[in-house]
Amino acid sequence: MPSARSERRPLPIPFWRRARRIFLLATIACLVPAGISWMGAMSQAHNVGLGVSSVEWLRQNGGGPIVTQIENWYYTLTAPSKGGPALSALPQVGVASSEGGGGKTAKAYRPPKVVPLIHPALPGEGVWKKAAAGAGPRPPVLVTTFRSDPEYPQFVAGVAWIDSARTELAYVPGLAEPPPPLAHRGSGEVPEGKRGRLVATFNGGFPLETSNAGLIYRGKVVEAMVDGVATVVEYRDGRIDIVKWESGASAPANVWFAKQNLPPIINNGKLNPNLSDGPEWGETVNNAVRVWRSGIGIDSRGNLLYAAANYQTVESLAKILQRAGAVRALELDINEDWTSFISYRHPGAVQPSNLLPEMFRPAERYLTPDERDFFALYLRPGQKW
Amino acid sequence: MRRLPREITPGAAARRTLLADCLIALVLALAAIALAAGIGVVGFAALLVLLVLVLWIAVEAGVRRVLRRRRRSAPPVRRRGRRAQVEDETGLDPLREEPTADQPR
């Protein structure tokens, strides 16, 4: 006779329902350590939104290829169409000559006007203007805008020219980039004591993790240098250069800082013939994808040129820098969240102003701690504003 | 070595299955964390899987609720027995034995 227990035997759970339960439990088990890691990252100081910080956390924790793929899809789907109505005016950048400070109109070198690509040219297109209101006859920073691509007549590129004889460039580590450990990290912002001489700040390169590149900071190797990679170098005597690095993995004795980022986009005045995609371009969106891009170059006189614009490919960015006079150049950071060039209208970091009005980050960006590393331009000691 | 009791209540059997499933899930999670490129990838993939599973369970529960409600609101169907069906088809009552010739009426 069967027992009462065996008569009450429960119905077996279907296999698929059990499998689903196992997957659900495994998912929850996976989310616990991931959540702890994410919350730890989010609890640190940030000056970007939660979404951007979360993407950065994903990128730093093995999700770089996922982020890159999603970015590629997104930017390809939202790519701008060619043509469209022509612009009637360019955004106002810099200060008009009448706003400039007094001083004698001494003969000082000025870079030649950037020849417009689209005709008829708009008022002020390619004409250099002072970035600072009180700058004398020899402004340390000049800025201009021009339409950079005849096929996309609504795109405006912003370019800054930096007088290397009057300024000194400093590499400033961010709070999270370069990643720890790093001696003399600082507070991730322009130091208070140096703001009196501050003329401009601009974004750095890709994070070290994604750029396949090296870094020398204060004469010491933070990340092994890579030969063949484009490098912004400051020598101990204060000279700045942009070179294709060929000095090996260690730090030469005369180098103060060297920041590498991807292969050169312009070398010896010519565009890199391989501006298409390849592993040498790092773990990032495809070179042909149109996003905010920025780059830095050097002209034949040793003055720096910075360029940034939305909807640029690597090739179109290189053409902007070449048109502005760069003979060697490299790409810096990309995407709207990381692209910034800020000039300061008055001494003491007063009245900061973005190079282009549509730049996403606020003009006060580098006066508060920032995650990413950046460059600061100061007037050389003894130079007058 | 003590063996697990075989004769157990349905509740105990369900708990035993749940424990086994938890252990399998833990092994799967540890394998995923060990094999993935980083904890970010694990978290991202887990979020996607969780989204799919939660949607699946929610849809299933919704469908079940709709069916139950429909069943409740539908007019009761009069079930006719086999006897009535046979009677309809043959005109004879299958349970009623027809008297044989030798049987007295």
Side-chain angles (χ1 to χ4, degrees):
Chain A
M1 188 181 157
S3 72
R5 278 189 172 182
S6 60
E7 278 171 10
R8 287 193 295 139
R9 185 165 292 165
L11 288 169
I13 306 170
F15 172 75
W16 66 267
R17 198 179 278 262
R18 235 187 122 182
R20 186 176 72 180
R21 183 165 77 180
I22 290 169
F23 270 105
L24 190 64
L25 290 166
T27 302
I28 293 164
C30 285
L31 278 173
V32 170
I36 291 168
S37 166
W38 178 80
M39 282 193 286
M42 293 309 110
S43 62
Q44 288 168 6
H46 288 286
N47 61 352
V48 283
L50 191 71
V52 177
S53 300
S54 299
V55 170
E56 287 306 298
W57 168 82
L58 179 56
R59 205 192 286 273
Q60 286 158 13
N61 286 280
I66 296 172
V67 174
T68 301
Q69 190 56 56
I70 292 171
E71 281 182 334
N72 274 328
W73 285 334
Y74 174 77
Y75 290 123
T76 306
L77 284 172
T78 58
S81 48
K82 288 181 181 175
L87 291 178
S88 56
L90 290 169
Q92 289 297 310
V93 295
V95 292
S97 301
S98 55
E99 280 186 64
K104 300 164 204 166
T105 49
K107 278 265 177 185
Y109 172 76
R110 282 224 173 189
K113 180 187 161 187
V114 180
V115 180
L117 268 162
I118 299 175
H119 297 282
L122 294 172
E125 189 164 15
V127 177
W128 295 106
K129 288 183 181 173
K130 297 173 185 179
R138 208 182 149 192
V141 177
L142 298 170
V143 290
T144 189
T145 52
F146 66 98
R147 292 167 294 169
S148 57
D149 195 334
E151 288 188 328
Y152 298 88
Q154 292 177 311
F155 297 174
V156 176
V159 184
W161 175 88
I162 298 148
D163 188 341
S164 292
R166 294 201 65 205
T167 56
E168 60 183 22
L169 187 68
Y171 170 80
V172 186
L175 292 176
E177 183 61 38
L182 179 76
H184 309 288
R185 177 177 293 277
S187 56
E189 61 187 313
V190 178
E192 286 282 351
K194 288 188 167 182
R195 291 186 185 181
R197 295 193 288 126
L198 185 67
V199 289
T201 42
F202 57 91
N203 58 277
F206 287 9
L208 284 177
E209 203 179 346
T210 56
S211 63
N212 306 330
L215 174 68
I216 295 170
Y217 176 55
R218 296 173 78 94
K220 297 205 169 123
V221 174
V222 175
E223 185 78 28
M225 300 295 282
V226 182
D227 281 346
V229 173
T231 311
V232 184
V233 191
E234 187 187 32
Y235 298 99
R236 284 184 187 270
D237 60 7
R239 261 184 322 119
I240 299 287
D241 205 352
I242 289 173
V243 298
K244 188 176 179 183
W245 189 261
E246 299 293 352
S247 303
S250 55
N254 62 340
V255 170
W256 179 239
F257 81 74
K259 166 75 180 164
Q260 295 192 308
N261 205 49
L262 314 174
I265 55 175
I266 301 173
N267 201 15
N268 297 324
K270 290 176 185 165
L271 296 189
N272 183 336
N274 180 25
L275 288 174
S276 54
D277 292 314
E280 68 273 27
W281 292 97
E283 201 178 82
T284 180
V285 293
N286 295 338
N287 283 2
V289 170
R290 291 188 176 272
V291 287
W292 267 100
R293 291 187 190 266
S294 66
I296 188 168
I298 195 161
D299 67 12
S300 54
R301 289 172 161 256
N303 298 303
L304 291 176
L305 289 152
Y306 173 96
N310 197 1
Y311 300 121
Q312 297 302 315
T313 63
V314 174
E315 187 176 346
S316 67
L317 175 74
K319 283 179 177 169
I320 291 169
L321 281 160
Q322 191 183 39
R323 197 159 194 85
V327 292
R328 293 184 296 282
L330 59 94
E331 186 181 30
L332 290 177
D333 219 341
I334 63 169
N335 289 329
E336 62 180 14
D337 290 304
W338 309 117
T339 310
S340 287
F341 183 98
I342 301 155
S343 56
Y344 302 87
R345 295 273 166 94
H346 301 283
V350 176
Q351 210 183 332
S353 171
N354 275 325
L355 175 60
L356 289 169
E358 65 265 38
M359 279 182 159
F360 185 71
R361 300 296 292 274
E364 294 78 18
R365 179 177 176 187
Y366 296 122
L367 302 178
T368 55
D370 197 85
E371 276 119 274
R372 291 273 173 102
D373 49 356
F374 62 96
F375 293 98
L377 273 166
Y378 304 106
L379 278 176
R380 285 185 185 276
Q383 293 280 337
K384 285 184 183 169
W385 186 265
Chain B
M1 197 174 140
R2 229 178 131 173
R3 298 180 69 181
L4 287 172
R6 283 188 182 174
E7 295 296 320
I8 52 172
T9 62
R15 281 195 295 278
R16 194 182 280 181
T17 315
L18 180 64
L19 180 69
D21 289 356
C22 280
L23 289 173
I24 297 168
L26 194 66
V27 170
L28 276 178
L30 288 173
I33 291 166
L35 294 174
I39 197 70
V41 184
V42 175
F44 181 75
L47 264 183
L48 289 183
V49 173
L50 186 70
L51 188 72
V52 170
L53 289 177
V54 166
L55 272 176
W56 181 3
I57 290 166
V59 167
E60 193 184 288
V63 167
R64 200 181 301 148
R65 185 177 293 178
V66 167
L67 287 177
R68 200 182 301 144
R69 199 174 293 167
R70 199 176 285 173
R71 211 175 293 143
R72 258 188 227 147
S73 60
V77 179
R78 217 178 118 221
R79 287 200 159 204
R80 304 191 74 218
R82 177 74 188 146
R83 182 180 170 186
Q85 283 177 23
V86 172
E87 202 173 346
D88 282 353
E89 287 163 12
T90 61
L92 298 169
D93 186 348
L95 294 183
R96 190 172 168 190
E97 289 181 1
E98 286 297 315
T100 50
D102 55 332
Q103 271 182 334
R105 285 183 181 253

